[in-house]
Amino acid sequence: MKKIISIVLACACALAFFGCGPKKPVLHVYMWSDYISPESVECFEKEFNCKVIIDTFDSNEMMYAKIKAGGSGYDLIQPSSYMAKIMNDQKMLLPLDKSKIPNQKYIDKDFLKNNALDKNMDYSMPYMVCYAVVAYDADKIKNLPDTWNVFSNPEFKKRSTVLNDIRELIGIALKVNGFSFNSTNEAELQKAKETILKWRENVAKFDNEGYKTGIATGEYVLVHGYSGDLAQVLLEKPNLKLMFPKEGLSISCDDWAIPADAKNADLAHAFMNYMAEPEIAVQNMEFSQYDAVNTEARKLMPEELRNAPAMNIPQEVLNKSEVIMDLGADNEKYNKIWDEIKM
Ligand code: N2P
């Protein structure tokens, strides 16, 4: 018996030695898609001798539900700022250890002061700023009016899409009626709902990811989408153009945050710090076509990126644009309208 046990033990040791070796730490990241250059992740893995596993989501609500259910296994997540605030209020996030993120110093101070919800980066750190805009096929559409109301134009019946994103879609419907992106007024929200119901008759679908391929292949001629994602498609398709509705855009920042039950918070801090290294941040800006609000990275931007349409939104449109805010108890009003629209 003794002999058998020692043979089994010897085999197990041999397996550990030859088969697996010492295990590398693993960082589990849950983030938006098409948002990070694979090279930057590979460099991080080499430098920190670890493995990074990335899963993606296509809406804040999907991510929230997964983390809220518990046991997600994620060490690092990427909520938009209004969602990070909701999660922090619900004790779903760890406070950030600033001693482990010295690169917070590169994040644009004006942006933090004017547009961030977590101005001291206590529980979240900006990754990229996003606007929602319109892209259209300029070969097929001449003289597109610069308004969100293009989605009710029967000329584009079933050839356009709007975002399947509760705050983005209700927000632009509020805006086109002359109200704030963050309105909590019942009558204004009802007006927005009526506008969306009209759009619903006209658009092909509410969509958060497929619109990129759809506009690239000519299936759609007009889409509502996230600025950098559309800019990525424009790089391949010169017939496409961006339109910035005169009523104003949404401004949202996608932040890094650490779930309260993260197993590898140290590596999560290291990752968010690494992605804010100016050389790495500019690499991700080129890949995603979004602005990392990183003052040093901006200085390294190549001319092409500096002149890209998503980086040059007209000032008069920006002046009318609004940050998507957390509305506290009034978030429920949006959920109710969304459910009614989806019925
Ligand atoms: C990245 C989309 C991020 C925009 N592909 C959502 N704020």
Side-chain angles (χ1 to χ4, degrees):
M1 184 63 179
K2 239 187 181 167
K3 203 168 174 192
I4 294 174
I5 290 175
S6 50
I7 290 171
V8 169
L9 274 178
C11 288
C13 290
L15 270 182
F17 191 76
F18 296 111
C20 319
K23 269 214 178 134
K24 283 185 181 180
V26 179
L27 180 72
H28 292 272
V29 181
Y30 195 33
M31 64 181 291
W32 295 89
S33 57
D34 299 336
Y35 221 10
I36 195 160
S37 98
E39 291 79 36
S40 70
V41 177
E42 273 165 34
C43 290
F44 177 82
E45 288 179 321
K46 280 201 191 104
E47 205 155 308
F48 287 81
N49 190 30
C50 66
K51 173 94 197 115
V52 177
I53 296 178
I54 296 182
D55 288 343
T56 60
F57 55 80
D58 74 358
S59 76
N60 276 297
E61 291 65 33
M62 175 178 173
M63 178 274 306
Y64 170 87
K66 201 152 183 183
I67 305 299
K68 188 76 182 170
S72 70
Y74 294 117
D75 302 302
L76 186 62
I77 56 174
Q78 202 180 50
S80 302
S81 302
Y82 74 91
M83 185 53 82
K85 170 138 190 352
I86 294 175
M87 296 175 88
N88 188 57
D89 289 350
Q90 296 182 14
K91 311 261 174 286
M92 292 167 69
L93 302 179
L94 280 187
L96 296 181
D97 180 343
K98 287 169 197 273
S99 69
K100 297 183 177 133
I101 336 168
N103 290 343
Q104 280 195 338
K105 64 176 181 265
Y106 295 129
I107 304 298
D108 183 337
K109 309 251 178 325
D110 285 337
F111 175 83
L112 288 170
K113 187 163 140 235
N114 300 324
N115 289 337
L117 274 67
D118 178 16
K119 296 190 186 304
N120 295 318
M121 298 182 279
D122 291 329
Y123 59 83
S124 62
M125 174 166 168
Y127 175 60
M128 299 279 172
V129 173
C130 167
Y131 304 89
V133 301
V134 175
Y136 66 101
D137 186 333
D139 284 349
K140 296 189 186 129
I141 305 177
K142 307 286 170 204
N143 308 319
L144 184 70
D146 58 343
T147 167
W148 288 116
N149 247 334
V150 287
F151 294 109
S152 57
N153 188 337
E155 225 182 288
F156 314 126
K157 198 159 177 79
K158 304 297 170 203
R159 292 192 300 153
S160 62
T161 63
V162 286
L163 281 171
N164 188 20
D165 180 317
I166 176 169
R167 294 302 303 274
E168 296 284 3
L169 190 56
I170 297 180
I172 61 167
L174 284 164
K175 265 317 223 191
V176 81
N177 282 296
F179 310 130
S180 160
F181 224 100
N182 297 298
S183 172
T184 55
N185 175 297
E186 298 274 9
E188 295 179 4
L189 284 164
Q190 273 310 315
K191 273 296 272 187
K193 178 179 138 186
E194 283 159 26
T195 299
I196 296 174
L197 291 177
K198 246 191 268 154
W199 289 346
R200 194 178 65 178
E201 291 307 303
N202 203 48
V203 301
K205 56 159 120 165
F206 292 7
D207 180 282
N208 268 3
E209 269 183 0
Y211 67 87
K212 291 172 73 173
T213 323
I215 187 103
T217 57
E219 183 184 0
Y220 308 130
V221 293
L222 180 76
V223 296
H224 171 213
Y226 302 119
S227 51
D229 283 71
L230 289 173
Q232 292 165 27
V233 186
L234 258 65
L235 287 177
E236 308 289 319
K237 298 278 168 186
N239 57 316
L240 302 181
K241 287 205 161 35
L242 295 187
M243 183 269 275
F244 307 113
K246 59 171 181 280
E247 296 92 0
L249 316 173
S250 60
I251 306 172
S252 65
C253 187
D254 297 313
D255 299 325
W256 296 121
I258 304 178
D261 60 358
K263 300 216 168 39
N264 216 337
D266 273 356
L267 207 50
H269 280 91
F271 190 86
M272 75 172 90
N273 190 57
Y274 189 80
M275 293 305 154
E277 280 296 339
E279 294 75 18
I280 304 294
V282 79
Q283 190 178 330
N284 282 322
M285 284 163 77
E286 279 192 272
F287 178 89
S288 69
Q289 300 284 304
Y290 287 95
D291 177 11
V293 286
N294 181 309
T295 44
E296 288 307 303
R298 278 183 182 147
K299 293 181 192 159
L300 306 175
M301 266 161 95
E303 211 45 33
E304 227 183 345
L305 181 63
R306 199 177 292 281
N307 296 329
M311 298 282 169
N312 291 283
I313 297 170
Q315 193 54 46
E316 63 272 20
V317 174
L318 283 180
N319 291 344
K320 292 199 202 127
S321 301
E322 288 176 77
V323 175
I324 302 180
M325 304 297 284
D326 165 35
L327 306 170
D330 286 327
N331 285 322
E332 231 3 86
K333 294 183 182 165
Y334 279 66
N335 293 338
K336 190 169 156 274
I337 285 198
W338 195 240
D339 288 346
E340 289 164 5
I341 291 166
K342 291 299 185 85
M343 254 178 348

